[in-house]
Amino acid sequence: VQGGIDEVAAYIGKQSRNARAEGERTGVLAFHEHADRFDADHVLVIGSLGNLERAAQGLYAALRSFDDLGVSRIWAETCPEAGIGHALMNRLAKAAAQQIIRV
């Protein structure tokens, strides 16, 4: 989910509440700086916006953790697409089947 953090957190919160009301387990891939802003069954921190290389390294482990936790709906906040951020966003887009939501 791409946009300002306030809009992203509000969008994900609403979607997560709706999914939970339908019996789904929800998850959010978040950066350390914003993790406390998200409402979901599980919020996994993939790293810091200040160290996107480490965040990129933690992405697939976090996705596997969601599988282990039985999470059926996942949202992720985006990062700036400069430097390693471009590669991280590419990986996120592939994991999301290119479904980028802009709020």
Side-chain angles (χ1 to χ4, degrees), residues 1-3 8 29 31 34 49 76-80 89 92 100-101:
V1 180
Q2 189 173 48
V8 169
L29 288 172
F31 292 99
H34 304 139
L49 287 166
E77 69 171 306
T78 61
C79 67
M89 285 302 301
L92 279 171
I100 308 295
I101 298 161

Side-chain angles (χ1 to χ4, degrees), residues 72-83:
S72 56
R73 295 286 306 270
I74 302 168
W75 295 270
E77 69 171 306
T78 61
C79 67
E81 293 191 48

Side-chain angles (χ1 to χ4, degrees), residues 1 11-12 15-16 19 24-30 40-44 46 59-77 92 95-97 99 101:
V1 180
Y11 176 85
I12 290 174
Q15 297 299 314
S16 180
E24 294 191 63
R25 295 188 57 79
T26 62
V28 176
L29 288 172
D41 293 315
H42 300 281
V43 177
L44 297 183
I46 60 171
L59 175 62
Y60 292 113
L63 292 172
R64 284 190 298 277
S65 292
F66 281 138
D67 282 341
D68 294 341
L69 293 166
V71 171
S72 56
R73 295 286 306 270
I74 302 168
W75 295 270
E77 69 171 306
L92 279 171
Q99 295 180 25
I101 298 161

